[in-house]
Amino acid sequence: MNDEPEWGSMGWSRRRFLGTLAALPAAAACGGSPGAGGGTAGTGTGSGSGTGTVPPDRRGTSGTPSPEPSGPRPLLLGTYTSAEGGGTGIGLASYDPVTGRITGTGTLTGVPDPSYLAVHPDGRTVYAVSERDDGAVSAVRLADRTVLGSRSTGGAAPCHLSVHPGGRWLLSANYASGSVAVHPIDASGALGERTGLVEHPGREPHAHQIVTAPDGRHVLAVDLGTDTVHTYRLDEREGTLTEVARARTRPGAGPRHLTFHPGGRYAYLANELDDTVAVCAYDPDTGRLDIGTGPSTGARGDVTNYPAQILVTADGAYAFLANRGHDSLARYAVEDDGARLRLLGTVPVAGDFPRQIAFSPDGRLLFAANQRSGTVSVFRVDRETGGLRRAGEPFASPVAVCALPL
C-alpha cells in the first residue's frame, strides 16, 4: 500500500503489515482513534501540540483578521533517507506566506529517516523521529541548525511525535513495536533520557500518533494495529503516562490520525484501512473518547483510498482530509459546534499519495507532502468559504512525507 521502506533486520514493512491485518478475521482486531501519521509535524500539523489546529497566538483563520504576512518563512521537510530516491536529511526551504512559493535552501544532515517533525511552542527547536529499527528522536536548534543530540524511543519505527503544550515533554509513537514514549526537554531544547514507555496491548499493536488534548491534561495515542485510541494522563513532574480510558473503532478501521476541534469537545478520526472518517465526542474531565460515525471521504468507489491526516481550521469552521489513492483533499464544513462534518467536495492534490498536510502558522496556506511523487503542493485557504486554490506548481522534494511550515 505505501511506498515505505523495510526496517533493517526486522524484515517488516507497513505494506506487509496492512496486508496481514486485512486478512485477519474481524474478531481479531480491537478498536480506537487519532492519526498525523508518520510524517505530521507535531503535530503533523504545524503546531507544537500536534493536535491539528494552529495555536491561539499564531492563528490567522479566527474571527479577527490577522495582518498580511510579509517576507519569506522557514519550511522544513521530512523524508526517508533509507528509501530509494529519498533525501539525505531534513530538507530546508523557505516559502512566501502570500504566494505560497517554495524555495529550497539546502539539507540538514545528521538525522536518519526524519519522517516526522514537530516544533517546540517557543519556536526555537524542532524535533524529528528516526523511523528505523532502533527508533530515536532528535532535537535541532533552529538558530544555527545544530543537532542537539538524539535519544532512543525504546521501540522500533517511531512515526509521529508532538510536544506537550507546556514545552517540557516530547511524546513519540513507535509504530512497529506498538508503544509510546516520553522524553524530557531541558531549557536549551535538548532531550533527556526517556522517562516513560508504555507498550500497547493486543495483537499486532502499531501506535501511529500521540497528541495532547486541548484541555492539556490528557494525552491520546492512536493505534492503527489494534483499532484503539488510548487516553493517558501525563505526570508532568515525572514524565510518565497512566492510562485512564480506551476507545475502540469498529474492527479493521485502522485509525491513523486524530485532530481536535478547537472547542475541545469533539475530535475527528481518519481511519486508514476502511476509508472512513469518524466524529468523536470527547470529555475533557475524564479523557473519555466516544467514537461515532462521520461523512464520506469523498473518494470514488473505483479507487482504493487510504485517508492519511485530517486538520481543522483555527476558527473551527472547516476541516480538510488528505486522501492517499484518490490523491485529493476532502473539504468539510464543521457544523453543530463541532458535532458534525458535512462533505463539501474534493480538490485534486496535484501529487501522488499525500502522506501529511499542515497549515501555515497564520492558517492562510495548506501544505501537502506527496510521498510517491516527491513533491509538496501548496494551497491558499479561503477564510470565508474553506475553498482551496492551488498556489503555483508543486515543489520537488525527495520522498516528501512531512512539511513543517514555521
Side-chain angles (χ1 to χ4, degrees), residues 44 63 68 89 98 105 108 188 242 244 257 264 266 271 278 287 291 305 364 388 406:
E68 190 73 17
V98 177
T105 59
L108 189 151
S188 73
T242 301
V244 296
H257 183 95
Y266 295 96
N271 294 312
I291 300 172
N305 188 59
R364 297 172 185 266
L388 297 176
L406 300 176

PDB file of all heavy atoms in Angstrom, residues 44 63 68 89 98 105 108 188 242 244 257 264 266 271 278 287 291 305 364 388 406:
ATOM      1  N   GLY A  44       1.716  16.958  13.303  1.00  0.00           N
ATOM      2  CA  GLY A  44       1.536  16.808  11.896  1.00  0.00           C
ATOM      3  C   GLY A  44       0.774  17.919  11.409  1.00  0.00           C
ATOM      4  O   GLY A  44      -0.212  17.908  10.691  1.00  0.00           O
ATOM      5  N   GLY A  63     -11.865  34.642  13.965  1.00  0.00           N
ATOM      6  CA  GLY A  63     -12.779  35.692  13.552  1.00  0.00           C
ATOM      7  C   GLY A  63     -12.105  37.025  13.335  1.00  0.00           C
ATOM      8  O   GLY A  63     -12.585  37.862  12.574  1.00  0.00           O
ATOM      9  N   GLU A  68      -1.491  41.142   7.161  1.00  0.00           N
ATOM     10  CA  GLU A  68      -0.963  40.481   5.970  1.00  0.00           C
ATOM     11  C   GLU A  68       0.490  40.100   6.220  1.00  0.00           C
ATOM     12  O   GLU A  68       1.298  40.934   6.615  1.00  0.00           O
ATOM     13  CB  GLU A  68      -1.043  41.419   4.767  1.00  0.00           C
ATOM     14  CG  GLU A  68      -0.746  40.750   3.447  1.00  0.00           C
ATOM     15  CD  GLU A  68      -1.868  39.844   2.992  1.00  0.00           C
ATOM     16  OE1 GLU A  68      -2.989  39.978   3.507  1.00  0.00           O
ATOM     17  OE2 GLU A  68      -1.619  38.998   2.129  1.00  0.00           O
ATOM     18  N   GLY A  89      18.562  14.003   4.471  1.00  0.00           N
ATOM     19  CA  GLY A  89      18.349  14.578   5.787  1.00  0.00           C
ATOM     20  C   GLY A  89      17.089  15.415   5.779  1.00  0.00           C
ATOM     21  O   GLY A  89      16.214  15.242   4.918  1.00  0.00           O
ATOM     22  N   VAL A  98       2.480  34.806   1.217  1.00  0.00           N
ATOM     23  CA  VAL A  98       1.392  35.344   0.404  1.00  0.00           C
ATOM     24  C   VAL A  98       1.142  34.477  -0.816  1.00  0.00           C
ATOM     25  O   VAL A  98       0.019  34.047  -1.078  1.00  0.00           O
ATOM     26  CB  VAL A  98       1.672  36.798  -0.015  1.00  0.00           C
ATOM     27  CG1 VAL A  98       0.561  37.308  -0.929  1.00  0.00           C
ATOM     28  CG2 VAL A  98       1.806  37.696   1.211  1.00  0.00           C
ATOM     29  N   THR A 105      16.599  25.624   0.185  1.00  0.00           N
ATOM     30  CA  THR A 105      17.802  26.296   0.702  1.00  0.00           C
ATOM     31  C   THR A 105      18.873  25.322   1.170  1.00  0.00           C
ATOM     32  O   THR A 105      19.926  25.758   1.645  1.00  0.00           O
ATOM     33  CB  THR A 105      17.440  27.231   1.868  1.00  0.00           C
ATOM     34  OG1 THR A 105      16.812  26.478   2.919  1.00  0.00           O
ATOM     35  CG2 THR A 105      16.492  28.333   1.412  1.00  0.00           C
ATOM     36  N   LEU A 108      19.696  19.585   6.077  1.00  0.00           N
ATOM     37  CA  LEU A 108      20.335  19.397   7.372  1.00  0.00           C
ATOM     38  C   LEU A 108      20.553  17.903   7.564  1.00  0.00           C
ATOM     39  O   LEU A 108      19.600  17.131   7.662  1.00  0.00           O
ATOM     40  CB  LEU A 108      19.457  19.962   8.493  1.00  0.00           C
ATOM     41  CG  LEU A 108      20.085  20.040   9.882  1.00  0.00           C
ATOM     42  CD1 LEU A 108      19.471  21.182  10.673  1.00  0.00           C
ATOM     43  CD2 LEU A 108      19.907  18.729  10.656  1.00  0.00           C
ATOM     44  N   SER A 188      17.424  24.334  27.081  1.00  0.00           N
ATOM     45  CA  SER A 188      18.062  24.606  25.784  1.00  0.00           C
ATOM     46  C   SER A 188      17.298  23.997  24.616  1.00  0.00           C
ATOM     47  O   SER A 188      17.621  24.260  23.460  1.00  0.00           O
ATOM     48  CB  SER A 188      19.490  24.049  25.783  1.00  0.00           C
ATOM     49  OG  SER A 188      19.479  22.627  25.699  1.00  0.00           O
ATOM     50  N   THR A 242      -0.131   7.321  32.502  1.00  0.00           N
ATOM     51  CA  THR A 242      -1.045   6.378  33.132  1.00  0.00           C
ATOM     52  C   THR A 242      -2.336   6.343  32.328  1.00  0.00           C
ATOM     53  O   THR A 242      -2.982   7.379  32.119  1.00  0.00           O
ATOM     54  CB  THR A 242      -1.365   6.801  34.575  1.00  0.00           C
ATOM     55  OG1 THR A 242      -0.160   6.873  35.329  1.00  0.00           O
ATOM     56  CG2 THR A 242      -2.308   5.803  35.227  1.00  0.00           C
ATOM     57  N   VAL A 244      -6.099   6.134  31.358  1.00  0.00           N
ATOM     58  CA  VAL A 244      -7.338   6.431  32.069  1.00  0.00           C
ATOM     59  C   VAL A 244      -8.578   6.053  31.270  1.00  0.00           C
ATOM     60  O   VAL A 244      -9.685   5.991  31.818  1.00  0.00           O
ATOM     61  CB  VAL A 244      -7.409   7.920  32.462  1.00  0.00           C
ATOM     62  CG1 VAL A 244      -6.297   8.270  33.437  1.00  0.00           C
ATOM     63  CG2 VAL A 244      -7.348   8.830  31.233  1.00  0.00           C
ATOM     64  N   HIS A 257      -5.043   8.963  12.316  1.00  0.00           N
ATOM     65  CA  HIS A 257      -4.787  10.338  12.745  1.00  0.00           C
ATOM     66  C   HIS A 257      -6.035  10.956  13.360  1.00  0.00           C
ATOM     67  O   HIS A 257      -7.121  10.893  12.789  1.00  0.00           O
ATOM     68  CB  HIS A 257      -4.334  11.187  11.556  1.00  0.00           C
ATOM     69  CG  HIS A 257      -3.979  12.589  11.927  1.00  0.00           C
ATOM     70  ND1 HIS A 257      -2.698  12.988  12.207  1.00  0.00           N
ATOM     71  CD2 HIS A 257      -4.749  13.682  12.083  1.00  0.00           C
ATOM     72  CE1 HIS A 257      -2.692  14.275  12.521  1.00  0.00           C
ATOM     73  NE2 HIS A 257      -3.937  14.716  12.450  1.00  0.00           N
ATOM     74  N   GLY A 264     -12.799  21.799  21.900  1.00  0.00           N
ATOM     75  CA  GLY A 264     -12.338  20.831  22.884  1.00  0.00           C
ATOM     76  C   GLY A 264     -13.310  19.733  23.233  1.00  0.00           C
ATOM     77  O   GLY A 264     -12.991  18.859  24.052  1.00  0.00           O
ATOM     78  N   TYR A 266     -15.039  17.873  20.711  1.00  0.00           N
ATOM     79  CA  TYR A 266     -15.152  16.920  19.616  1.00  0.00           C
ATOM     80  C   TYR A 266     -13.792  16.733  18.957  1.00  0.00           C
ATOM     81  O   TYR A 266     -12.932  17.613  19.016  1.00  0.00           O
ATOM     82  CB  TYR A 266     -16.175  17.386  18.575  1.00  0.00           C
ATOM     83  CG  TYR A 266     -17.574  17.439  19.120  1.00  0.00           C
ATOM     84  CD1 TYR A 266     -18.099  18.637  19.601  1.00  0.00           C
ATOM     85  CD2 TYR A 266     -18.362  16.295  19.187  1.00  0.00           C
ATOM     86  CE1 TYR A 266     -19.379  18.693  20.132  1.00  0.00           C
ATOM     87  CE2 TYR A 266     -19.649  16.341  19.717  1.00  0.00           C
ATOM     88  CZ  TYR A 266     -20.140  17.541  20.192  1.00  0.00           C
ATOM     89  OH  TYR A 266     -21.399  17.584  20.728  1.00  0.00           O
ATOM     90  N   ASN A 271      -9.585   7.092   9.480  1.00  0.00           N
ATOM     91  CA  ASN A 271      -9.353   5.646   9.525  1.00  0.00           C
ATOM     92  C   ASN A 271      -8.754   5.187   8.206  1.00  0.00           C
ATOM     93  O   ASN A 271      -9.410   5.247   7.156  1.00  0.00           O
ATOM     94  CB  ASN A 271     -10.663   4.908   9.800  1.00  0.00           C
ATOM     95  CG  ASN A 271     -11.208   5.205  11.186  1.00  0.00           C
ATOM     96  OD1 ASN A 271     -10.482   5.149  12.176  1.00  0.00           O
ATOM     97  ND2 ASN A 271     -12.488   5.533  11.264  1.00  0.00           N
ATOM     98  N   ALA A 278     -14.425   9.465  11.276  1.00  0.00           N
ATOM     99  CA  ALA A 278     -15.353   9.353  12.398  1.00  0.00           C
ATOM    100  C   ALA A 278     -15.360  10.644  13.209  1.00  0.00           C
ATOM    101  O   ALA A 278     -14.314  11.246  13.442  1.00  0.00           O
ATOM    102  CB  ALA A 278     -14.962   8.178  13.300  1.00  0.00           C
ATOM    103  N   GLY A 287     -11.236  12.357  30.019  1.00  0.00           N
ATOM    104  CA  GLY A 287     -10.390  11.931  28.914  1.00  0.00           C
ATOM    105  C   GLY A 287     -11.049  10.882  28.035  1.00  0.00           C
ATOM    106  O   GLY A 287     -10.418  10.353  27.107  1.00  0.00           O
ATOM    107  N   ILE A 291     -16.319   7.227  19.988  1.00  0.00           N
ATOM    108  CA  ILE A 291     -16.142   7.250  18.540  1.00  0.00           C
ATOM    109  C   ILE A 291     -17.466   6.977  17.838  1.00  0.00           C
ATOM    110  O   ILE A 291     -18.078   5.925  18.033  1.00  0.00           O
ATOM    111  CB  ILE A 291     -15.086   6.220  18.113  1.00  0.00           C
ATOM    112  CG1 ILE A 291     -13.750   6.541  18.787  1.00  0.00           C
ATOM    113  CG2 ILE A 291     -14.926   6.215  16.593  1.00  0.00           C
ATOM    114  CD1 ILE A 291     -12.696   5.479  18.597  1.00  0.00           C
ATOM    115  N   ASN A 305      -8.574   3.801  -1.478  1.00  0.00           N
ATOM    116  CA  ASN A 305      -8.164   5.045  -0.826  1.00  0.00           C
ATOM    117  C   ASN A 305      -7.780   4.801   0.626  1.00  0.00           C
ATOM    118  O   ASN A 305      -8.404   4.007   1.330  1.00  0.00           O
ATOM    119  CB  ASN A 305      -9.304   6.060  -0.893  1.00  0.00           C
ATOM    120  CG  ASN A 305      -8.880   7.425  -0.409  1.00  0.00           C
ATOM    121  OD1 ASN A 305      -7.956   8.025  -0.949  1.00  0.00           O
ATOM    122  ND2 ASN A 305      -9.540   7.928   0.623  1.00  0.00           N
ATOM    123  N   ARG A 364      -3.370  30.698   6.409  1.00  0.00           N
ATOM    124  CA  ARG A 364      -3.716  31.123   5.058  1.00  0.00           C
ATOM    125  C   ARG A 364      -3.330  30.096   3.997  1.00  0.00           C
ATOM    126  O   ARG A 364      -3.869  30.117   2.893  1.00  0.00           O
ATOM    127  CB  ARG A 364      -3.021  32.448   4.728  1.00  0.00           C
ATOM    128  CG  ARG A 364      -3.442  33.614   5.607  1.00  0.00           C
ATOM    129  CD  ARG A 364      -2.559  34.834   5.348  1.00  0.00           C
ATOM    130  NE  ARG A 364      -2.861  35.926   6.252  1.00  0.00           N
ATOM    131  CZ  ARG A 364      -3.707  36.916   5.984  1.00  0.00           C
ATOM    132  NH1 ARG A 364      -4.338  36.921   4.829  1.00  0.00           N
ATOM    133  NH2 ARG A 364      -3.924  37.872   6.854  1.00  0.00           N
ATOM    134  N   LEU A 388     -10.175  25.812  -1.436  1.00  0.00           N
ATOM    135  CA  LEU A 388      -8.740  25.633  -1.648  1.00  0.00           C
ATOM    136  C   LEU A 388      -8.396  25.988  -3.089  1.00  0.00           C
ATOM    137  O   LEU A 388      -9.052  25.516  -4.019  1.00  0.00           O
ATOM    138  CB  LEU A 388      -8.313  24.192  -1.360  1.00  0.00           C
ATOM    139  CG  LEU A 388      -8.490  23.674   0.070  1.00  0.00           C
ATOM    140  CD1 LEU A 388      -8.112  22.199   0.143  1.00  0.00           C
ATOM    141  CD2 LEU A 388      -7.648  24.479   1.052  1.00  0.00           C
ATOM    142  N   LEU A 406       6.912  27.137   9.254  1.00  0.00           N
ATOM    143  CA  LEU A 406       7.102  27.878  10.506  1.00  0.00           C
ATOM    144  C   LEU A 406       6.770  29.361  10.304  1.00  0.00           C
ATOM    145  O   LEU A 406       6.587  29.813   9.193  1.00  0.00           O
ATOM    146  CB  LEU A 406       8.539  27.715  10.998  1.00  0.00           C
ATOM    147  CG  LEU A 406       8.988  26.276  11.284  1.00  0.00           C
ATOM    148  CD1 LEU A 406      10.464  26.245  11.663  1.00  0.00           C
ATOM    149  CD2 LEU A 406       8.135  25.650  12.379  1.00  0.00           C
TER     150      LEU A 406
END
